[in-house]
């Protein structure tokens, strides 16, 4: 059983997975290969020269894997909170995975969130019709389900969704650890 399952490996999901795995949490990322970033050309991502969406996704995945996150390409069809003790995630292939918490980072795709019973509200971004209602930190009405990125109502820009994935991971890590989590690497001289 993973500690956290991240659903979606776009900028928000992979960024969340990077922070979670680097903090020592067993992290599984399930991705249906539907990221809108696959079609992007990016010239406004701080710290990166002009980059294609596919290259940005590849680098993000490699960073998270280096930290220990595991990635499986599978479309998630069911998220069951089992009355609150754990979360079971089922995929299109019929496989099941369990975790203590789930972070949904499915971009503009709201079907899974709606099937869980999460409250949706109108999106603010062009072409984003609905997003999940959160407390502003990624928490949803279900204490085991968190939401990051465009699905949580932040801007679709990759720099913002990646930052939101990290922010939600830090909030979850802080809750799991019982104290504020901080991740600062220092140059080695």
């Amino acid at each position: 059983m993973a500690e956290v399952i991240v659903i979606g490996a776009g900028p928000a999901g992979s960024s969340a997975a990077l922070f979670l795995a680097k903090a020592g949490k067993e992290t599984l990322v399930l991705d249906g290969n539907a990221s809108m970033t696959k079609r992007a050309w990016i010239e406004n991502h701080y710290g990166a020269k002009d980059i294609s969406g596919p290259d940005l996704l590849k680098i993000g995945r490699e960073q998270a894997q280096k930290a220990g996150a595991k990635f499986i390409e599978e479309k998630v069809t069911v998220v069951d909170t089992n009355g609150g003790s754990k979360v079971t995630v089922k995929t299109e292939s019929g496989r099941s995975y369990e975790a203590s918490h789930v972070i949904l980072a499915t971009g503009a795709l709201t079907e899974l969130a709606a099937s869980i019973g999460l409250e949706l509200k109108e999106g603010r971004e062009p072409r984003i019709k609905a997003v999940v209602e959160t407390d502003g930190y990624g928490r949803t009405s279900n204490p085991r389900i968190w939401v990051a990125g465009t699905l949580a109502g932040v801007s679709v820009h990759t720099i913002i969704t990646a930052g939101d994935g990290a922010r939600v991971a830090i909030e979850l890590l802080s809750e799991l650890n019982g104290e504020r989590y901080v991740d600062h690497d220092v140059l080695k001289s």
Side-chain angles (χ1 to χ4, degrees):
M1 181 169 107
E3 288 180 79
V4 182
I5 294 174
V6 178
I7 301 173
S14 290
S15 183
L18 171 60
F19 274 78
L20 291 161
K22 194 164 180 267
K25 302 301 180 191
E26 187 177 337
T27 305
L28 173 63
V29 181
L30 298 172
D31 183 51
N33 197 23
S35 175
M36 66 179 111
T37 304
K38 291 184 343 181
R39 300 181 309 273
W41 176 253
I42 302 153
E43 296 181 1
N44 61 353
H45 204 293
Y46 175 80
K49 296 182 181 199
D50 300 352
I51 189 168
S52 73
D55 286 342
L56 184 69
L57 293 171
K58 180 178 181 274
I59 291 167
R61 180 179 179 142
E62 289 169 352
Q63 287 176 305
Q65 286 175 317
K66 179 182 175 189
K70 294 178 177 62
F71 284 71
I72 298 174
E73 194 168 304
E74 290 229 50
K75 182 179 179 183
V76 173
T77 56
V78 175
V79 176
D80 183 356
T81 56
N82 302 301
S85 61
K86 62 183 175 182
V87 183
T88 302
V89 175
K90 296 179 183 176
T91 64
E92 206 168 51
S93 70
R95 291 190 180 104
S96 291
Y97 304 91
E98 290 184 341
S100 297
H101 295 271
V102 166
I103 296 177
L104 295 177
T106 57
L109 304 176
T110 59
E111 295 82 14
L112 188 59
S115 74
I116 299 168
L118 298 179
E119 185 178 339
L120 299 179
K121 64 181 184 178
E122 187 176 338
R124 296 180 354 177
E125 293 284 305
R127 297 180 297 282
I128 304 299
K129 294 186 183 345
V131 298
V132 174
E133 182 73 45
T134 72
D135 68 352
Y137 296 99
R139 291 177 192 89
T140 69
S141 57
N142 186 311
R144 298 208 176 268
I145 309 292
W146 297 66
V147 179
T150 302
L151 186 63
V154 302
S155 176
V156 298
H157 296 88
T158 59
I159 190 88
I160 296 171
T161 60
D164 193 59
R167 182 182 62 82
V168 170
I170 289 168
E171 294 298 332
L172 176 53
L173 287 164
S174 297
E175 187 173 294
L176 292 172
N177 294 343
E179 63 183 10
R180 189 70 184 161
Y181 177 79
V182 177
D183 179 359
H184 290 281
D185 295 323
V186 178
L187 286 174
K188 297 174 177 105
S189 41

